[in-house]
């Protein structure tokens, strides 16, 4: 059978008379009641099935049940026909007109119908409730938090069942198994598996060489530790509960770091020197941040029903991260101090929607919004996107770029000054002196890294009073460092939209046959192709070459030096599918969104920077089709090391959401610079980027608690952590046995993951995962989980180190005797607990520092019970 004929057999019971009914579906047609020769349809071969006419006769001898609006087989049967009428009609279309919807629902409510609204996302039901309340609808609606494909009205049952996606004219998302899930979202820290021979940095001892895991005998009990080799053959064993103190060395590629000598003060001096330098930079940054926070901006009012309606009418479903980013932005806008938030999300992950919501929120308060973009094309693209999304709302959107004549520009700018334009989109011309806003509420900057220094200086001046939102896909390392330091608020959109596929990336040498094949492959499946050639001079010739390879396809070219109207027409014609291939420079790099383009060929890819290549690749794969990116470059062996690494990075990180890994890799390839100025910092090369990041965090925490404690008072009160970490040393058998997990690399990875679990929920989920992967958890591993829990409690109590040996526990307090910890409520409560609630703990003085000694602590469970009781007493 070739699949054109399907015969289905079902048992159907009607009026206590059981019989077999056959229903027949044939190709795309039904068997008609006229005596038509079916065999002439769709080249059906007689050998494919028994005589169709005989089958038809056989069917007509039986009882027939047909569903649908029209009868195909029943007309010629000898049986009497019974028509059963169903009093069900489909949900009418309201075109997002809520007055119509409310009027319709009120009519049914008066007829005593029950009204149900189905939505998969409970947030949608809340939004609908808010809209109904704001419009004073006063209708009794029963919300059902599940989705059905289409709404209907059943007159027999007297019920109205409407779906939210039809009300808002959104796509109905089918339940794809595990379309996305927060745990599968891409994480910022890529898993870096350590291999013996890798350089690693220990925060207390400096740079050494990792040489595997080793079993250690502690009082007759087996433990496992990471072995690090230092200068002159010195060895350091790092307990598996202190793995967070080590990180893989990542300085500038190709430079071999100096290993440190154990016990020498060289590392500590370098660390202190770095910390001082970091503090100097951070102090300036935090001052800028403090200045922004202390200035009075405009506090936007909470969402009204129009904002809710706009968000609910998004034709796709928000991904969890997109929802969180929107909430972060709106929360910042409602504060009296000016917002300065960076939203990082990979290409095509829905940052523009966050920008539209922010701009509209500002307009709802009678303010104006400005959207600053790096290219002429993108200004026009955003104008179309914003206009389309906001066409049902009372806002005017316009744009300013070089496509417009001087007269049109002047008119537009006059309207902006008079407040007749609510949202203006433009290139850096928006920063010129001629542009006067009547009342600017929010400035949205797309792809900030594309702007020059002068433009950024102007932006800095604007930012101190106006809410500012920056969108970026590949954060430039300095922006990334600013955000990691906390001198800028950061939201990350990690989760790809449902049904997205990664772009397949390949590096090739220029080859005409390959170009022809890849272009035809794409056009034959109905798609279009970008061919990027970043030289205006040879663009026409390249277009001619491709036309020669594919004579039957329509091919055009575009570059930034063309006449404005011609460039605009070319791009628009390409969007309207009048051309199959567009040969162009990298003017399409930022934000051009044409879902039908699913192959991009980049010529001389070695001449582009990493973020440029990542952005260009992001122009394809914006629908649910598999997309391809081909990078043409000379043979790898002839390229400089940096170019080679850039191309292989792009090939390696082709997964969805790899922008962060690419930015991090960019730091590895180029080396990280000083965060405020242009001078390169030698410290990062010496200590490694990740360790620099840790020292940075430490420095920021110290600054927040000393010089800037007034600014961060609320944050410090919430954190209340006087120590950042606690080391636990025991003589118990705490490890993952070889018999449970054989692979050393796997064990190290599990130790690292366990060590990085943030809270109890993470630990419980990880415990369940290990049980699922490796079977019932042995006692040694259970103790390992308890150790991590104890470490978190010890930090809350202010212990820097705990020793559990020979059933005796020693807890070491904060090492700095002048620390505010000793005047804190935490310390006072702990003393009270020791005096009144336990008789097995006593305080001892050792030098300047105090130690808490607890007797009869035999197991990790005993230790956990003691710490938990102490924390509860706080």
């Amino acid at each position: 059978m070739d699949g054109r004929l399907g015969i289905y057999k079902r048992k159907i019971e009607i009026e206590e008379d059981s019989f077999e009914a056959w229903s027949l579906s044939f190709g795309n047609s039904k068997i008609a009641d006229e005596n038509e020769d079916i065999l002439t349809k769709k080249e059906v071969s007689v050998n494919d099935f028994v005589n169709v006419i005989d089958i038809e006769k056989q069917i007509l001898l039986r009882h027939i049940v047909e569903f649908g609006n029209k009868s195909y087989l029943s007309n010629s049967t000898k049986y009497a026909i019974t028509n059963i009428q169903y009093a069900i009609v489909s949900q009418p279309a309201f075109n997002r007109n809520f007055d119509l919807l409310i009027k319709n629902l009120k009519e049914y409510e008066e007829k005593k119908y029950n009204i149900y609204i189905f939505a998969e996302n409970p947030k949608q039901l809340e939004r609908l409730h808010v809209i109904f309340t704001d419009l004073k609808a006063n209708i009794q609606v029963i919300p059902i938090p599940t989705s059905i494909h289409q709404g209907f009205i059943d007159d027999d049952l007297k019920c109205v069942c409407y779906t939210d996606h039809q009300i808002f004219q959104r796509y109905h998302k089918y339940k794809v198994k595990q379309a996305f899930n927060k745990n599968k979202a891409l994480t910022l820290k890529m898993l870096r598996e350590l291999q013996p021979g890798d350089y690693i940095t220990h925060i207390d001892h400096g740079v050494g060489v990792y040489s595997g895991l080793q079993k250690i005998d502690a009082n007759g009990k087996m433990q496992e530790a990471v072995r690090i080799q230092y200068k002159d053959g010195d060895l350091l064993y790092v307990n598996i509960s202190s793995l967070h103190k080590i990180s893989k060395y990542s300085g500038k590629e190709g430079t071999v770091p100096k290993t440190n000598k154990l016990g020498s003060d060289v590392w500590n001096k370098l660390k202190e020197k770095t910390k001082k330098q970091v503090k100097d930079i951070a102090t300036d940054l935090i001052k800028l941040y403090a200045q922004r926070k202390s200035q009075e901006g405009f506090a936007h009012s909470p969402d009204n029903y129009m904002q809710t309606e706009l968000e609910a009418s998004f034709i796709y479903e928000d991904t969890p991260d997109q929802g969180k980013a929107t909430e972060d932005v709106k929360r910042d806008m409602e504060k009296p101090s000016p917002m300065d938030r960076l939203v990082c999300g990979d290409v095509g992950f829905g940052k523009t929607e966050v920008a539209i919501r922010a701009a509209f929120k500002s307009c709802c308060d009678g303010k104006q919004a400005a959207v600053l973009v790096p290219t002429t094309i993108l200004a026009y693209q955003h104008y179309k996107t914003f206009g389309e999304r906001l066409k049902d709302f009372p806002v005017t959107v316009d744009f300013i770029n070089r496509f417009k004549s001087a007269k049109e520009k002047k008119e537009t700018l006059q309207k902006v000054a008079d407040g007749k334009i609510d949202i203006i989109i433009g290139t850096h011309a928006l920063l010129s002196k001629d542009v006067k806003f009547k009342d600017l509420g929010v400035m949205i900057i797309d792809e900030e890294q594309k702007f020059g220094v002068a433009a950024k200086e102007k932006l800095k001046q604007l930012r101190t009073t106006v809410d500012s939102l920056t969108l970026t896909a590949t954060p430039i390392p300095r922006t990334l460092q600013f955000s990691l330091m906390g001198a800028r608020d950061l939201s990350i959109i990690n989760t790809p939209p449902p049904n997205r596929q990664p772009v397949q990336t390949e590096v090739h040498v220029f080859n005409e046959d390959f170009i022809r094949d890849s272009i035809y492959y794409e056009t034959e499946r109905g798609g279009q192709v970008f061919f990027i050639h970043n030289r205006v001079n040879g663009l026409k010739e390249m277009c001619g070459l491709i036309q020669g390879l594919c004579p039957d396809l329509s091919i055009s070219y575009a570059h930034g030096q063309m006449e404005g109207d011609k460039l605009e027409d070319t791009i628009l014609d390409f969007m309207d599918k009048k051309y199959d291939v567009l040969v162009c420079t990298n003017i399409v790099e930022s934000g051009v969104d044409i879902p039908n383009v699913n192959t991009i060929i980049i010529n001389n890819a070695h001449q582009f920077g990493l973020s440029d290549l990542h952005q260009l690749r992001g122009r394809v794969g914006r629908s649910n089709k598999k997309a391809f990116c081909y990078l043409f470059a000379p043979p790898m062996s002839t390229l400089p090391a940096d170019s080679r690494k850039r191309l292989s990075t792009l090939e390696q990180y082709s997964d969805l959401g790899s922008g962060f890994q690419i930015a991090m890799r960019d730091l590895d390839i180029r080396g990280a610079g000083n965060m405020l100025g242009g001078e390169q910092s030698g410290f990062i090369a010496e200590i490694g980027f990740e360790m620099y990041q840790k020292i940075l965090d430490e420095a920021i925490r110290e600054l927040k608690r000393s010089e800037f404690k007034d600014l961060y008072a609320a944050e410090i009160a919430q954190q209340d952590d006087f120590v950042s970490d606690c080391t636990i040393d025991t003589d118990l058998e705490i490890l993952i046995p070889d018999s449970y997990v054989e692979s050393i690399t796997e064990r190290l990875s599990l130790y690292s993951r366990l060590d990085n679990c943030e809270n109890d929920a993470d630990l419980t989920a990880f415990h369940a995962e290990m049980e699922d992967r490796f079977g019932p958890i042995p006692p040694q591993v259970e103790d390992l989980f308890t150790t991590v829990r104890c470490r978190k409690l010890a930090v809350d109590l202010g212990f820097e180190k705990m020793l559990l040996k020979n059933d005796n526990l020693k807890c070491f307090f904060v090492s700095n005797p002048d620390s505010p910890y000793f005047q804190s409520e935490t310390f006072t409560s702990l003393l009270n607990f020791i005096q009144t609630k336990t008789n097995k703990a006593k305080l001892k003085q050792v030098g300047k520092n105090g130690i808490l000694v607890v007797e009869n602590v035999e197991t990790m469970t005993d230790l956990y019970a003691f710490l938990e009781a102490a924390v509860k007493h706080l």
Side-chain angles (χ1 to χ4, degrees):
M1 279 245 170
D2 68 354
R4 293 192 188 121
L5 179 72
I7 301 175
Y8 309 94
K9 187 177 178 184
R10 294 193 185 89
K11 283 264 188 202
I12 298 179
E13 290 180 14
I14 293 181
E15 297 172 358
E16 301 172 3
D17 183 14
S18 179
F19 65 97
E20 289 179 349
W22 294 75
S23 73
L24 185 72
S25 97
F26 172 71
N28 293 326
S29 63
K30 294 272 194 300
I31 297 180
D33 53 332
E34 296 92 26
N35 290 325
E36 184 178 13
D37 184 7
I38 295 158
L39 297 178
T40 58
K41 291 193 179 182
K42 292 245 179 184
E43 303 171 16
V44 178
S45 153
V46 181
N47 300 329
D48 280 344
F49 53 90
V50 205
N51 191 322
V52 175
I53 307 300
D54 282 352
I55 293 175
E56 187 181 357
K57 283 177 184 168
Q58 290 292 323
I59 289 174
L60 296 178
L61 293 174
R62 296 168 184 270
H63 292 284
I64 296 166
V65 178
E66 284 190 86
F67 296 93
N69 298 327
K70 184 181 170 191
S71 168
Y72 287 98
L73 291 165
S74 312
N75 297 347
S76 52
T77 179
K78 58 186 179 181
Y79 298 112
I81 298 168
T82 307
N83 280 329
I84 301 167
Q85 293 294 330
Y86 291 96
I88 293 180
V89 291
S90 324
Q91 174 175 339
F94 299 107
N95 293 327
R96 295 191 215 157
N97 184 329
F98 280 91
D99 295 331
L100 264 181
L101 171 67
I102 290 165
K103 187 181 169 204
N104 175 276
L105 293 178
K106 282 201 162 153
E107 284 170 9
Y108 281 110
E109 196 173 47
E110 282 163 17
K111 294 183 194 169
K112 301 283 188 287
Y113 277 56
N114 287 328
I115 298 168
Y116 302 91
I117 291 190
F118 291 78
E120 184 164 356
N121 187 346
K123 201 158 177 84
Q124 279 293 75
L125 294 169
E126 283 172 33
R127 284 172 181 159
L128 275 167
H129 176 70
V130 170
I131 291 169
F132 285 157
T133 310
D134 286 348
L135 295 176
K136 299 183 172 55
N138 202 14
I139 303 168
Q140 286 298 311
V141 173
I142 303 161
I144 312 271
T146 187
S147 76
I148 54 175
H149 185 51
Q150 283 184 324
F152 61 89
I153 300 151
D154 190 324
D155 294 322
D156 291 339
L157 295 174
K158 289 208 159 194
C159 72
V160 173
C161 297
Y162 285 173
T163 67
D164 75 307
H165 59 267
Q166 282 173 286
I167 292 172
F168 290 113
Q169 292 181 312
R170 285 189 298 115
Y171 294 126
H172 178 231
K173 192 184 107 220
Y174 287 94
K175 266 284 189 211
V176 182
K177 189 173 181 239
Q178 295 276 313
F180 65 74
N181 142 342
K182 191 72 182 162
N183 302 328
K184 287 208 165 67
L186 302 145
T187 54
L188 238 178
K189 291 176 183 150
M190 54 186 184
L191 187 67
R192 291 185 159 180
E193 289 190 341
L194 283 170
Q195 298 297 333
D198 285 349
Y199 286 99
I200 56 179
T201 318
H202 189 292
I203 197 157
D204 299 327
H205 303 289
V207 179
V209 178
Y210 167 68
S211 55
L213 284 175
Q214 184 157 334
K215 296 274 189 301
I216 292 174
D217 188 318
N219 276 3
K221 306 272 176 61
M222 289 310 289
Q223 291 186 354
E224 202 159 22
V226 171
R227 189 166 76 163
I228 307 175
Q229 200 165 352
Y230 282 90
K231 197 173 175 183
D232 302 336
D234 294 351
L235 287 177
L236 174 72
Y237 293 97
V238 180
N239 193 305
I240 46 174
S241 64
S242 302
L243 281 188
H244 50 281
K245 292 198 166 190
I246 60 175
S247 60
K248 187 173 179 179
Y249 173 88
S250 56
K252 187 174 185 330
E253 288 239 343
T255 56
V256 177
K258 285 188 226 160
T259 55
N260 293 96
K261 175 111 180 90
L262 277 184
S264 77
D265 60 352
V266 175
W267 170 254
N268 280 336
K269 279 182 180 169
L270 177 65
K271 207 168 85 170
E272 284 310 311
K273 200 173 167 189
T274 307
K275 197 183 267 190
K276 185 184 177 304
Q277 191 215 25
V278 164
K279 273 190 176 174
D280 293 345
I281 297 167
T283 304
D284 293 346
L285 273 177
I286 294 178
K287 274 180 186 159
L288 279 174
Y289 185 66
Q291 186 188 342
R292 243 189 345 259
K293 290 288 175 204
S294 62
Q295 282 196 319
E296 274 296 309
F298 174 75
H300 288 79
S301 48
D303 291 359
N304 61 9
Y305 80 94
M306 283 201 292
Q307 179 78 27
T308 313
E309 193 180 318
L310 171 78
E311 288 177 22
S313 64
F314 186 39
I315 59 169
Y316 302 102
E317 188 154 329
D318 285 6
T319 62
D321 290 346
Q322 212 177 359
K324 186 177 179 303
T326 305
E327 290 307 315
D328 290 345
V329 168
K330 291 196 297 190
R331 190 176 56 247
D332 285 359
M333 289 175 79
E334 287 167 19
K335 287 179 184 168
S337 54
M339 162 173 81
D340 185 15
R341 183 166 285 279
L342 174 69
V343 175
C344 292
D346 221 328
V347 275
F349 275 28
K351 299 184 295 293
T352 310
E353 176 63 21
V354 176
I356 290 170
R357 293 175 187 185
F360 186 67
K361 186 173 181 70
S362 208
C363 296
C364 286
D365 278 339
K367 294 269 186 181
Q368 290 170 297
V371 183
L372 191 64
V373 294
T375 64
T376 305
I377 301 271
L378 187 53
Y380 187 72
Q381 171 100 36
H382 271 351
Y383 166 65
K384 300 280 275 186
T385 311
F386 274 69
E388 182 58 37
R389 268 302 268 125
L390 299 169
K391 67 172 189 282
D392 297 333
F393 297 93
V395 289
T396 37
V397 183
D398 208 340
F399 72 104
I400 184 168
N401 66 9
R402 66 182 187 80
F403 287 168
K404 284 193 165 185
S405 66
K407 186 183 173 205
E408 286 174 322
K409 270 186 198 167
K410 199 175 174 189
E411 282 174 13
T412 306
L413 292 177
Q414 190 54 49
K415 283 183 184 171
V416 171
D418 296 343
K420 290 177 182 167
I421 290 174
D422 300 303
I423 299 173
I424 181 79
I425 299 164
T427 52
H428 46 267
L430 275 184
L431 298 171
S432 69
K433 294 190 187 97
D434 315 336
V435 183
K436 300 274 186 291
F437 291 95
K438 186 182 181 192
D439 189 3
L440 183 63
V442 65
M443 169 69 92
I444 296 163
I445 304 135
D446 200 356
E447 296 300 338
E448 187 182 23
Q449 70 267 31
K450 295 276 180 279
F451 292 99
V453 176
K456 283 186 181 171
E457 284 306 313
K458 283 184 182 166
L459 281 173
K460 264 186 194 166
Q461 291 160 17
L462 261 177
R463 256 192 202 148
T464 47
T465 52
V466 174
D467 283 346
S468 150
L469 172 65
T470 308
L471 314 173
T472 181
T474 39
I476 42 173
R478 190 171 300 165
T479 319
L480 196 66
Q481 285 180 315
F482 269 26
S483 303
L484 291 170
M485 278 182 68
R488 221 169 167 183
D489 301 311
L490 174 71
S491 293
I492 294 173
I493 302 180
N494 271 336
T495 334
N499 312 333
R500 277 283 163 90
Q501 296 184 45
V503 178
Q504 188 168 322
T505 309
E506 296 171 14
V507 179
H508 291 276
V509 179
F510 189 92
N511 176 328
E512 291 186 2
D513 292 340
F514 183 82
I515 294 173
R516 186 194 307 113
D517 293 347
S518 51
I519 289 175
Y520 275 127
Y521 174 80
E522 185 56 54
T523 52
E524 278 167 16
R525 61 176 186 163
Q528 293 163 282
V529 180
F530 275 133
F531 189 101
I532 308 297
H533 180 76
N534 212 17
R535 288 282 177 274
V536 174
N537 295 341
L539 204 66
K540 224 171 179 177
E541 290 77 0
M542 184 56 75
C543 186
L545 174 89
I546 293 171
Q547 188 71 73
L549 294 172
C550 312
D552 53 331
L553 299 181
S554 57
I555 293 163
S556 187
Y557 66 93
H559 56 80
Q561 293 172 20
M562 286 167 78
E563 284 293 314
D565 292 347
K566 194 178 176 197
L567 177 58
E568 184 181 356
D569 291 344
T570 307
I571 296 283
L572 290 178
D573 287 348
F574 186 61
M575 285 179 179
D576 293 340
K577 303 180 188 173
K578 289 181 184 168
Y579 302 119
D580 299 301
V581 181
L582 184 66
V583 182
C584 56
T585 56
N586 63 346
I587 52 164
V588 296
E589 179 190 322
S590 295
V592 174
D593 184 7
I594 311 173
N596 196 45
V597 182
N598 280 306
T599 294
I600 185 166
I601 300 168
I602 303 170
N603 195 22
N604 293 329
H606 60 293
Q607 293 171 353
F608 288 87
L610 246 186
S611 74
D612 297 337
L613 287 172
H614 181 59
Q615 277 290 351
L616 283 167
R617 178 171 66 183
R619 297 311 103 218
V620 296
R622 301 176 81 90
S623 65
N624 53 5
K625 270 188 181 174
K626 182 75 184 163
F628 300 91
C629 170
Y630 301 116
L631 307 170
F632 285 177
M636 283 287 199
S637 55
T638 64
L639 291 175
D642 279 8
S643 300
R644 224 178 15 248
K645 280 176 194 142
R646 275 202 298 273
L647 294 176
S648 55
T649 297
L650 215 70
E651 207 171 14
Q652 186 182 352
Y653 297 121
S654 63
D655 289 354
L656 294 165
S658 50
F660 302 106
Q661 278 95 325
I662 286 174
M664 290 290 197
R665 192 83 184 85
D666 203 13
L667 279 169
D668 283 358
I669 293 169
R670 298 191 308 178
N674 176 335
M675 290 163 299
L676 271 188
E679 74 268 16
Q680 290 296 308
S681 160
F683 294 113
I684 297 172
E686 287 184 66
I687 63 179
F689 176 67
E690 287 187 26
M691 193 51 64
Y692 181 69
Q693 219 55 66
K694 284 185 181 179
I695 292 173
L696 193 68
D697 290 344
E698 233 173 75
I700 298 288
R701 279 178 44 141
E702 287 173 20
L703 281 174
K704 283 180 179 177
R705 289 187 176 280
S706 51
E707 286 175 56
F708 298 100
K709 64 179 177 211
D710 297 340
L711 178 65
Y712 292 100
E715 190 183 315
I716 293 166
Q718 269 183 335
Q719 287 175 343
D720 208 23
D721 53 345
F722 295 93
V723 293
S724 57
D725 188 37
C726 174
T727 311
I728 300 178
D729 198 359
T730 81
D731 57 2
L732 301 172
E733 191 170 337
I734 297 176
L735 78 168
I736 300 174
D738 295 4
S739 54
Y740 189 58
V741 178
E742 281 180 34
S743 157
I744 291 179
T745 319
E746 186 60 46
R747 281 209 305 279
L748 184 62
S749 167
L750 292 169
Y751 286 137
S752 293
R753 283 184 58 196
L754 181 60
D755 213 44
N756 289 322
C757 284
E758 294 283 325
N759 49 42
D760 218 64
D762 291 352
L763 283 167
T764 309
F766 189 48
H767 189 281
E769 184 193 321
M770 280 189 70
E771 197 163 8
D772 185 45
R773 284 176 66 188
F774 306 108
I777 292 190
Q780 302 98 309
V781 182
E782 290 288 6
D783 278 351
L784 198 53
F785 276 91
T786 311
T787 307
V788 176
R789 288 190 169 95
C790 289
R791 216 177 73 218
K792 310 272 184 227
L793 294 177
V795 168
D796 293 342
L797 291 166
F799 298 143
E800 275 191 349
K801 184 178 173 186
M802 293 197 299
L803 279 177
L804 175 56
K805 292 194 175 173
N806 304 321
D807 301 346
N808 265 11
L809 172 67
K810 289 177 184 171
C811 304
F812 296 79
F813 289 108
V814 180
S815 53
N816 177 8
D818 303 324
S819 167
Y821 167 74
F822 296 106
Q823 275 75 49
S824 70
E825 278 183 37
T826 306
F827 186 62
T828 314
S829 302
L830 184 61
L831 290 179
N832 183 273
F833 171 75
I834 295 163
Q835 288 162 357
T836 60
K837 301 290 180 190
T838 179
N839 55 6
K840 57 180 190 177
K842 53 182 184 285
L843 283 171
K844 277 188 178 178
Q845 184 82 13
V846 177
K848 284 185 179 179
N849 298 333
I851 297 178
L852 177 65
V853 180
V854 188
E855 294 168 349
N856 302 326
V857 181
E858 296 174 13
T859 63
M860 287 311 295
T861 315
D862 294 345
L863 172 57
Y864 182 72
F866 172 76
L867 294 174
E868 193 177 32
V871 167
K872 278 181 181 167
H873 190 73
L874 293 183

